[in-house]
Amino acid sequence: KKFIDTDHQFINEVKVSDMTGISVATLKKHRWLGRGLPYHKFGRSVLYLEAEVLNYLDQLKVQTQSFKKQQPAAEVDSA
């Protein structure tokens, strides 16, 4: 029986900080306040699912009009 889905990559707060530009201290504060990125606790270890961090970063994306004009219509409609 699988307890942890090994199809998902867990990363630590230092890697999350590198990926997002959010300081480790701010990540800790967000956890304490109950906001920010979802995380998992394994004993004293705090880990994040890489897919969730990438999804968070994707949600921050802002599409500009000039970029939309460069893309074929099918790609713009699906975004």
Side-chain angles (χ1 to χ4, degrees):
K1 193 176 199 181
K2 256 202 258 195
F3 293 103
I4 297 176
D5 185 355
T6 54
D7 294 334
H8 295 349
Q9 177 75 31
F10 285 97
I11 55 177
N12 65 24
E13 61 189 5
V14 174
K15 174 100 181 202
V16 172
S17 178
D18 290 342
M19 290 173 69
T20 62
I22 301 170
S23 71
V24 171
T26 299
L27 290 170
K28 288 179 182 181
K29 184 175 183 177
H30 284 177
R31 289 194 307 267
W32 185 78
L33 293 171
R35 62 174 143 174
L37 291 162
Y39 64 94
H40 301 264
K41 287 263 306 187
F42 299 99
R44 296 174 75 186
S45 298
V46 174
L47 298 172
Y48 296 83
L49 276 173
E50 186 173 29
E52 291 176 337
V53 175
L54 293 172
N55 184 45
Y56 165 80
L57 291 172
D58 193 48
Q59 291 176 12
L60 298 176
K61 178 174 52 178
V62 176
Q63 289 286 359
T64 62
Q65 290 301 318
S66 61
F67 181 78
K68 287 180 183 178
K69 289 178 186 176
Q70 295 173 5
Q71 299 299 309
E75 288 184 26
V76 173
D77 292 339
S78 66

Coordinates of all heavy atoms in Angstrom, one line a residue:
K1 N 0.8 -1.2 0.0 CA 0.0 0.0 0.0 C 0.9 1.2 0.0 O 1.8 1.4 0.8 CB -0.9 0.0 1.2 CG -2.0 0.9 1.2 CD -2.8 0.7 2.5 CE -4.2 1.4 2.3 NZ -5.0 1.2 3.5
K2 N 0.6 2.2 -0.9 CA 1.4 3.4 -1.0 C 0.8 4.5 -0.1 O -0.3 4.8 -0.1 CB 1.3 4.0 -2.4 CG 2.5 3.7 -3.3 CD 2.6 4.7 -4.4 CE 2.3 4.6 -5.7 NZ 2.5 5.3 -6.8
F3 N 1.7 5.0 0.8 CA 1.3 6.1 1.6 C 1.6 7.5 1.0 O 0.9 8.5 1.3 CB 2.0 6.0 3.0 CG 1.5 4.8 3.8 CD1 2.3 3.7 3.9 CD2 0.3 4.8 4.4 CE1 1.9 2.6 4.5 CE2 -0.2 3.7 5.1 CZ 0.6 2.6 5.1
I4 N 2.6 7.5 0.2 CA 3.0 8.8 -0.5 C 3.0 8.5 -1.9 O 3.5 7.5 -2.4 CB 4.4 9.3 0.0 CG1 4.4 9.6 1.5 CG2 4.8 10.5 -0.8 CD1 5.7 10.0 2.0
D5 N 2.3 9.4 -2.7 CA 2.3 9.3 -4.1 C 3.6 9.7 -4.7 O 4.0 10.8 -4.7 CB 1.2 10.2 -4.7 CG 1.0 10.1 -6.2 OD1 1.7 9.3 -6.8 OD2 0.1 10.7 -6.7
T6 N 4.4 8.7 -5.1 CA 5.7 8.9 -5.6 C 5.7 9.5 -7.0 O 6.8 9.9 -7.5 CB 6.6 7.6 -5.6 OG1 5.8 6.6 -6.4 CG2 6.8 7.1 -4.2
D7 N 4.6 9.7 -7.6 CA 4.5 10.4 -8.9 C 4.7 11.9 -8.7 O 4.9 12.6 -9.7 CB 3.1 10.1 -9.6 CG 3.0 8.7 -9.9 OD1 4.0 8.0 -10.1 OD2 1.8 8.2 -10.0
H8 N 4.6 12.4 -7.5 CA 4.7 13.8 -7.2 C 6.1 14.1 -6.6 O 6.5 13.3 -5.7 CB 3.6 14.3 -6.3 CG 2.3 14.2 -7.0 ND1 2.0 13.9 -8.3 CD2 1.0 14.4 -6.4 CE1 0.7 13.9 -8.5 NE2 0.1 14.2 -7.4
Q9 N 6.7 15.2 -7.0 CA 8.0 15.6 -6.4 C 7.8 16.6 -5.3 O 7.2 17.6 -5.5 CB 8.8 16.2 -7.6 CG 10.1 16.7 -7.2 CD 11.1 15.6 -7.0 OE1 11.1 14.6 -7.6 NE2 12.1 15.8 -6.1
F10 N 8.3 16.2 -4.1 CA 8.3 17.1 -3.0 C 9.5 18.0 -3.0 O 10.6 17.4 -3.2 CB 8.1 16.4 -1.7 CG 6.7 15.9 -1.4 CD1 6.4 14.6 -1.7 CD2 5.8 16.7 -0.9 CE1 5.2 14.1 -1.5 CE2 4.5 16.2 -0.7 CZ 4.2 14.9 -1.0
I11 N 9.4 19.2 -2.6 CA 10.6 20.1 -2.5 C 10.6 20.9 -1.2 O 9.5 21.1 -0.7 CB 10.7 21.1 -3.7 CG1 9.4 21.9 -3.9 CG2 11.0 20.3 -5.0 CD1 9.4 22.9 -5.0
N12 N 11.7 21.3 -0.8 CA 11.8 22.0 0.5 C 11.6 23.5 0.3 O 11.5 24.0 -0.8 CB 13.1 21.7 1.3 CG 14.3 22.2 0.5 OD1 14.2 23.1 -0.3 ND2 15.5 21.6 0.8
E13 N 11.5 24.2 1.4 CA 11.2 25.7 1.4 C 12.3 26.5 0.7 O 12.0 27.5 0.2 CB 10.9 26.2 2.8 CG 12.0 26.0 3.8 CD 11.6 26.4 5.2 OE1 10.4 26.6 5.5 OE2 12.5 26.4 6.1
V14 N 13.5 26.0 0.8 CA 14.6 26.7 0.1 C 14.5 26.7 -1.4 O 14.6 27.7 -2.1 CB 16.0 26.1 0.6 CG1 17.1 26.8 -0.2 CG2 16.2 26.3 2.0
K15 N 14.1 25.5 -1.9 CA 13.9 25.4 -3.4 C 12.6 26.2 -3.8 O 12.6 26.9 -4.8 CB 13.7 23.9 -3.7 CG 13.3 23.7 -5.1 CD 14.4 23.3 -6.0 CE 13.9 23.1 -7.4 NZ 14.6 22.3 -8.2
V16 N 11.6 26.2 -2.9 CA 10.4 27.0 -3.2 C 10.8 28.5 -3.2 O 10.3 29.2 -4.1 CB 9.3 26.8 -2.2 CG1 8.1 27.7 -2.3 CG2 8.8 25.3 -2.3
S17 N 11.6 28.9 -2.3 CA 12.0 30.3 -2.2 C 12.8 30.7 -3.5 O 12.6 31.7 -4.1 CB 12.9 30.5 -1.0 OG 13.4 31.8 -1.0
D18 N 13.7 29.8 -4.0 CA 14.4 30.0 -5.2 C 13.5 30.1 -6.4 O 13.7 30.9 -7.3 CB 15.5 28.9 -5.4 CG 16.6 28.9 -4.5 OD1 16.8 30.0 -3.8 OD2 17.3 27.9 -4.4
M19 N 12.5 29.3 -6.4 CA 11.6 29.2 -7.6 C 10.6 30.4 -7.6 O 10.3 30.9 -8.7 CB 10.7 27.9 -7.5 CG 11.5 26.7 -7.8 SD 10.4 25.2 -7.6 CE 9.2 25.4 -8.9
T20 N 10.2 30.9 -6.5 CA 9.2 31.9 -6.4 C 9.7 33.3 -6.1 O 9.0 34.3 -6.4 CB 8.1 31.6 -5.3 OG1 8.8 31.6 -4.0 CG2 7.4 30.3 -5.6
G21 N 10.9 33.4 -5.5 CA 11.4 34.7 -5.1 C 10.8 35.1 -3.7 O 11.0 36.2 -3.3
I22 N 10.0 34.3 -3.1 CA 9.5 34.5 -1.8 C 10.5 34.0 -0.8 O 11.0 32.9 -0.8 CB 8.1 33.8 -1.6 CG1 7.1 34.2 -2.6 CG2 7.6 34.0 -0.1 CD1 5.8 33.4 -2.6
S23 N 10.9 34.9 0.2 CA 11.9 34.5 1.1 C 11.4 33.4 2.0 O 10.2 33.2 2.2 CB 12.3 35.7 2.0 OG 11.3 36.0 2.9
V24 N 12.4 32.6 2.5 CA 12.1 31.5 3.4 C 11.3 32.0 4.6 O 10.3 31.4 5.1 CB 13.3 30.7 3.8 CG1 13.0 29.7 4.9 CG2 14.0 30.0 2.6
A25 N 11.7 33.2 5.1 CA 11.0 33.8 6.3 C 9.6 34.1 6.0 O 8.7 33.8 6.8 CB 11.8 35.0 6.7
T26 N 9.3 34.6 4.8 CA 7.9 34.9 4.4 C 7.1 33.6 4.2 O 6.0 33.6 4.6 CB 7.9 35.7 3.1 OG1 8.6 37.0 3.4 CG2 6.5 36.0 2.7
L27 N 7.7 32.6 3.7 CA 7.0 31.3 3.6 C 6.6 30.8 4.9 O 5.5 30.3 5.1 CB 7.9 30.3 2.8 CG 8.2 30.5 1.3 CD1 9.2 29.5 0.8 CD2 6.9 30.3 0.6
K28 N 7.6 30.9 5.9 CA 7.3 30.5 7.3 C 6.1 31.3 7.9 O 5.2 30.8 8.5 CB 8.5 30.6 8.2 CG 9.6 29.5 7.8 CD 10.8 29.7 8.7 CE 11.9 28.7 8.3 NZ 13.1 28.8 9.1
K29 N 6.2 32.6 7.6 CA 5.1 33.5 8.2 C 3.8 33.1 7.6 O 2.8 33.1 8.3 CB 5.5 34.9 7.9 CG 4.5 35.9 8.5 CD 5.0 37.3 8.3 CE 4.0 38.3 9.0 NZ 4.4 39.7 8.9
H30 N 3.8 32.9 6.2 CA 2.5 32.5 5.6 C 1.9 31.2 6.2 O 0.7 31.1 6.4 CB 2.7 32.4 4.1 CG 2.8 33.7 3.4 ND1 3.1 33.7 2.0 CD2 2.7 34.9 3.8 CE1 3.2 35.0 1.6 NE2 3.0 35.7 2.7
R31 N 2.8 30.3 6.5 CA 2.3 29.0 7.1 C 1.7 29.3 8.4 O 0.7 28.8 8.8 CB 3.5 28.0 7.2 CG 3.9 27.4 5.9 CD 4.8 26.2 6.0 NE 5.9 26.3 6.9 CZ 7.2 26.7 6.5 NH1 7.4 26.9 5.2 NH2 8.1 26.8 7.3
W32 N 2.4 30.1 9.2 CA 1.9 30.5 10.6 C 0.6 31.2 10.5 O -0.3 30.9 11.3 CB 3.0 31.3 11.3 CG 2.7 31.6 12.7 CD1 2.8 30.8 13.8 CD2 2.1 32.8 13.2 NE1 2.4 31.4 14.9 CE2 2.0 32.7 14.6 CE3 1.8 34.0 12.6 CZ2 1.5 33.7 15.4 CZ3 1.3 35.0 13.4 CH2 1.2 34.8 14.8
L33 N 0.4 32.0 9.5 CA -0.8 32.8 9.4 C -1.9 32.0 8.7 O -3.1 32.4 8.6 CB -0.6 34.1 8.5 CG 0.3 35.1 9.2 CD1 0.6 36.2 8.2 CD2 -0.4 35.7 10.4
G34 N -1.5 30.8 8.1 CA -2.5 30.0 7.5 C -2.9 30.4 6.1 O -4.0 30.2 5.6
R35 N -1.9 31.0 5.4 CA -2.2 31.5 4.0 C -1.0 31.1 3.1 O 0.0 30.5 3.6 CB -2.5 32.9 3.9 CG -1.4 33.8 4.4 CD -1.7 35.3 4.1 NE -1.3 36.1 5.2 CZ -1.3 37.4 5.2 NH1 -1.9 38.0 4.2 NH2 -0.9 38.1 6.2
G36 N -1.0 31.5 1.9 CA 0.1 31.2 1.0 C 0.0 29.8 0.4 O -1.1 29.2 0.2
L37 N 1.1 29.3 -0.1 CA 1.1 28.0 -0.8 C 0.7 26.8 0.1 O 1.1 26.8 1.3 CB 2.5 27.8 -1.3 CG 3.0 28.7 -2.4 CD1 4.5 28.7 -2.6 CD2 2.4 28.2 -3.7
P38 N 0.0 25.8 -0.4 CA -0.3 24.6 0.4 C 1.0 23.9 0.6 O 1.9 23.9 -0.2 CB -1.2 23.8 -0.5 CG -1.1 24.4 -1.9 CD -0.5 25.8 -1.8
Y39 N 1.1 23.2 1.8 CA 2.3 22.5 2.1 C 2.0 21.2 2.9 O 0.8 21.0 3.3 CB 3.3 23.4 3.0 CG 2.7 23.8 4.3 CD1 2.9 23.0 5.5 CD2 1.9 24.9 4.4 CE1 2.4 23.4 6.7 CE2 1.3 25.3 5.7 CZ 1.6 24.5 6.8 OH 1.1 24.9 8.0
H40 N 3.0 20.4 3.1 CA 2.8 19.1 3.8 C 3.8 19.0 4.9 O 4.9 19.5 4.7 CB 3.0 17.9 2.8 CG 2.1 17.9 1.6 ND1 0.9 17.2 1.6 CD2 2.1 18.6 0.5 CE1 0.3 17.4 0.5 NE2 1.0 18.3 -0.2
K41 N 3.3 18.5 6.0 CA 4.2 18.3 7.2 C 4.5 16.8 7.4 O 3.6 16.0 7.4 CB 3.6 18.9 8.5 CG 3.6 20.3 8.6 CD 4.6 21.0 9.3 CE 4.9 20.6 10.7 NZ 5.9 21.5 11.4
F42 N 5.7 16.5 7.4 CA 6.2 15.1 7.7 C 7.1 15.2 9.0 O 8.2 15.6 8.9 CB 6.9 14.5 6.6 CG 6.1 14.4 5.3 CD1 6.3 15.3 4.3 CD2 5.2 13.4 5.1 CE1 5.5 15.3 3.1 CE2 4.4 13.3 4.0 CZ 4.6 14.2 3.0
G43 N 6.5 15.0 10.1 CA 7.2 15.2 11.4 C 7.5 16.7 11.5 O 6.6 17.5 11.4
R44 N 8.8 17.1 11.6 CA 9.2 18.5 11.6 C 9.5 19.1 10.2 O 9.7 20.3 10.1 CB 10.4 18.6 12.5 CG 10.1 18.2 14.0 CD 11.3 18.2 14.8 NE 11.7 19.6 15.2 CZ 12.7 19.9 15.8 NH1 13.6 19.0 16.2 NH2 13.0 21.2 16.1
S45 N 9.5 18.2 9.2 CA 9.8 18.7 7.9 C 8.6 19.3 7.2 O 7.5 18.8 7.3 CB 10.3 17.5 7.0 OG 11.5 16.9 7.6
V46 N 8.8 20.4 6.5 CA 7.8 21.1 5.7 C 8.2 20.9 4.3 O 9.3 21.3 3.9 CB 7.7 22.5 6.1 CG1 6.7 23.3 5.2 CG2 7.3 22.7 7.6
L47 N 7.3 20.3 3.5 CA 7.6 20.1 2.1 C 6.4 20.6 1.2 O 5.3 20.6 1.7 CB 7.9 18.6 1.8 CG 9.1 18.0 2.5 CD1 9.1 16.5 2.3 CD2 10.4 18.7 2.0
Y48 N 6.7 21.0 0.0 CA 5.8 21.5 -0.9 C 5.8 20.6 -2.2 O 6.8 20.1 -2.5 CB 6.1 22.9 -1.4 CG 6.1 23.9 -0.3 CD1 7.2 24.1 0.6 CD2 5.0 24.8 -0.1 CE1 7.2 25.1 1.5 CE2 5.0 25.7 0.9 CZ 6.1 25.9 1.7 OH 6.1 26.8 2.7
L49 N 4.6 20.4 -2.8 CA 4.5 19.7 -4.0 C 5.0 20.6 -5.1 O 4.4 21.7 -5.3 CB 3.1 19.2 -4.3 CG 2.7 17.9 -3.7 CD1 1.3 17.6 -3.9 CD2 3.6 16.7 -4.2
E50 N 5.9 20.2 -5.9 CA 6.5 21.0 -7.0 C 5.4 21.4 -8.0 O 5.3 22.6 -8.4 CB 7.6 20.3 -7.7 CG 8.3 21.1 -8.7 CD 9.5 20.5 -9.3 OE1 9.5 19.2 -9.4 OE2 10.4 21.2 -9.7
A51 N 4.5 20.5 -8.3 CA 3.4 20.8 -9.2 C 2.5 21.9 -8.7 O 2.0 22.8 -9.4 CB 2.5 19.6 -9.4
E52 N 2.2 22.0 -7.4 CA 1.4 23.0 -6.8 C 2.2 24.4 -6.8 O 1.5 25.4 -7.0 CB 1.0 22.7 -5.3 CG 0.1 21.5 -5.3 CD -0.3 21.1 -3.9 OE1 0.5 21.3 -2.9 OE2 -1.4 20.5 -3.7
V53 N 3.5 24.4 -6.6 CA 4.3 25.6 -6.7 C 4.2 26.1 -8.2 O 4.0 27.3 -8.4 CB 5.7 25.4 -6.2 CG1 6.6 26.6 -6.4 CG2 5.7 25.0 -4.8
L54 N 4.4 25.2 -9.1 CA 4.4 25.6 -10.5 C 3.0 26.1 -10.9 O 2.9 27.1 -11.7 CB 4.8 24.4 -11.4 CG 6.2 24.0 -11.3 CD1 6.5 22.7 -12.1 CD2 7.2 25.1 -11.7
N55 N 1.9 25.5 -10.4 CA 0.6 26.0 -10.6 C 0.4 27.4 -10.0 O -0.2 28.3 -10.7 CB -0.4 25.0 -10.0 CG -1.9 25.4 -10.3 OD1 -2.2 25.8 -11.5 ND2 -2.7 25.4 -9.3
Y56 N 0.9 27.6 -8.8 CA 0.9 29.0 -8.2 C 1.5 30.0 -9.1 O 1.0 31.1 -9.4 CB 1.5 28.9 -6.8 CG 1.9 30.2 -6.3 CD1 0.9 31.0 -5.7 CD2 3.2 30.7 -6.3 CE1 1.2 32.3 -5.1 CE2 3.5 32.0 -5.8 CZ 2.5 32.7 -5.2 OH 2.8 34.0 -4.7
L57 N 2.7 29.7 -9.6 CA 3.4 30.6 -10.5 C 2.7 30.8 -11.8 O 2.7 32.0 -12.3 CB 4.8 30.0 -10.8 CG 5.8 30.0 -9.6 CD1 7.1 29.3 -10.0 CD2 6.1 31.4 -9.1
D58 N 2.1 29.8 -12.3 CA 1.3 29.9 -13.6 C 0.1 30.9 -13.3 O -0.3 31.6 -14.2 CB 0.8 28.6 -14.1 CG 0.3 28.6 -15.5 OD1 1.0 29.2 -16.3 OD2 -0.8 28.1 -15.7
Q59 N -0.5 30.9 -12.2 CA -1.6 31.7 -11.9 C -1.2 33.2 -11.8 O -2.1 34.1 -11.9 CB -2.3 31.3 -10.6 CG -3.0 30.0 -10.7 CD -3.6 29.5 -9.3 OE1 -3.7 30.3 -8.4 NE2 -4.0 28.3 -9.3
L60 N 0.0 33.5 -11.6 CA 0.5 34.8 -11.5 C 0.8 35.5 -12.9 O 1.0 36.7 -13.0 CB 1.8 34.9 -10.7 CG 1.8 34.5 -9.2 CD1 3.1 34.5 -8.6 CD2 0.8 35.3 -8.5
K61 N 0.7 34.6 -13.9 CA 1.0 35.1 -15.3 C 0.0 36.1 -15.7 O -1.2 35.9 -15.5 CB 1.0 33.9 -16.2 CG 1.3 34.2 -17.7 CD 1.4 33.0 -18.5 CE 0.3 32.0 -18.4 NZ 0.4 30.8 -19.2
V62 N 0.5 37.1 -16.3 CA -0.3 38.2 -16.9 C -0.1 38.2 -18.4 O 1.0 38.3 -18.9 CB 0.0 39.6 -16.4 CG1 -0.8 40.7 -17.0 CG2 -0.1 39.6 -14.9
Q63 N -1.2 38.0 -19.2 CA -1.1 38.0 -20.6 C -1.3 39.4 -21.1 O -2.2 40.1 -20.8 CB -2.3 37.1 -21.2 CG -2.1 35.7 -21.0 CD -1.1 35.1 -21.9 OE1 -0.4 35.7 -22.7 NE2 -0.9 33.8 -21.8
T64 N -0.3 39.8 -21.9 CA -0.4 41.2 -22.5 C -1.0 41.1 -23.9 O -1.0 40.0 -24.5 CB 1.1 41.8 -22.6 OG1 1.8 40.9 -23.5 CG2 1.7 41.9 -21.3
Q65 N -1.5 42.2 -24.3 CA -2.2 42.2 -25.6 C -1.2 41.9 -26.8 O -1.5 41.2 -27.7 CB -2.8 43.6 -25.9 CG -4.0 43.8 -25.0 CD -5.1 42.8 -25.2 OE1 -5.5 42.4 -26.3 NE2 -5.7 42.4 -24.1
S66 N 0.0 42.5 -26.7 CA 1.0 42.2 -27.8 C 1.3 40.7 -27.9 O 1.5 40.2 -28.9 CB 2.2 43.1 -27.6 OG 2.9 42.7 -26.4
F67 N 1.4 40.0 -26.7 CA 1.7 38.6 -26.7 C 0.5 37.9 -27.4 O 0.7 36.9 -28.2 CB 2.0 38.1 -25.3 CG 2.3 36.6 -25.3 CD1 3.6 36.2 -25.7 CD2 1.3 35.7 -24.9 CE1 3.9 34.8 -25.6 CE2 1.6 34.3 -24.9 CZ 2.9 33.9 -25.3
K68 N -0.7 38.2 -27.0 CA -1.9 37.6 -27.6 C -1.9 37.7 -29.1 O -2.3 36.8 -29.8 CB -3.2 38.1 -27.0 CG -3.4 37.7 -25.5 CD -4.6 38.3 -25.0 CE -4.8 37.9 -23.5 NZ -6.0 38.5 -23.0
K69 N -1.5 38.8 -29.6 CA -1.6 39.1 -31.1 C -0.6 38.2 -31.8 O -0.8 37.8 -32.9 CB -1.3 40.5 -31.4 CG -2.4 41.5 -31.0 CD -2.0 42.9 -31.3 CE -3.1 43.9 -30.7 NZ -2.7 45.3 -30.9
Q70 N 0.5 37.8 -31.1 CA 1.6 37.0 -31.7 C 1.2 35.5 -31.8 O 1.7 34.8 -32.6 CB 2.9 37.1 -31.0 CG 3.5 38.5 -31.0 CD 4.7 38.6 -30.1 OE1 5.1 37.7 -29.5 NE2 5.2 39.8 -30.0
Q71 N 0.2 35.1 -30.9 CA -0.1 33.7 -30.8 C -1.3 33.4 -31.8 O -2.1 34.2 -32.1 CB -0.6 33.4 -29.4 CG 0.4 33.6 -28.4 CD 1.6 32.8 -28.6 OE1 1.5 31.6 -28.7 NE2 2.8 33.3 -28.6
P72 N -1.3 32.2 -32.4 CA -2.4 31.7 -33.2 C -3.7 31.8 -32.4 O -3.7 31.5 -31.1 CB -2.0 30.3 -33.6 CG -0.6 30.2 -33.4 CD -0.2 31.2 -32.3
A73 N -4.8 32.0 -33.0 CA -6.1 32.2 -32.3 C -6.4 31.0 -31.4 O -7.0 31.1 -30.3 CB -7.2 32.4 -33.3
A74 N -6.1 29.7 -31.8 CA -6.5 28.6 -31.0 C -5.7 28.6 -29.7 O -6.3 28.2 -28.7 CB -6.1 27.3 -31.8
E75 N -4.5 29.0 -29.7 CA -3.7 29.0 -28.4 C -4.2 30.1 -27.5 O -4.3 29.9 -26.3 CB -2.2 29.2 -28.7 CG -1.6 28.0 -29.3 CD -0.1 28.2 -29.5 OE1 0.5 29.0 -28.8 OE2 0.5 27.6 -30.4
V76 N -4.6 31.3 -28.0 CA -5.1 32.3 -27.2 C -6.4 32.0 -26.5 O -6.6 32.2 -25.3 CB -5.2 33.7 -28.0 CG1 -5.9 34.7 -27.1 CG2 -3.9 34.1 -28.5
D77 N -7.3 31.3 -27.3 CA -8.6 31.0 -26.7 C -8.5 29.9 -25.6 O -9.3 29.9 -24.7 CB -9.5 30.4 -27.8 CG -9.9 31.5 -28.8 OD1 -9.8 32.7 -28.5 OD2 -10.3 31.1 -29.9
S78 N -7.5 29.0 -25.7 CA -7.4 28.0 -24.7 C -6.7 28.5 -23.4 O -6.7 27.8 -22.4 CB -6.6 26.8 -25.2 OG -5.3 27.2 -25.5
A79 N -6.1 29.6 -23.4 CA -5.3 30.1 -22.2 C -6.3 30.8 -21.3 O -7.3 31.0 -21.3 CB -4.3 31.1 -22.7

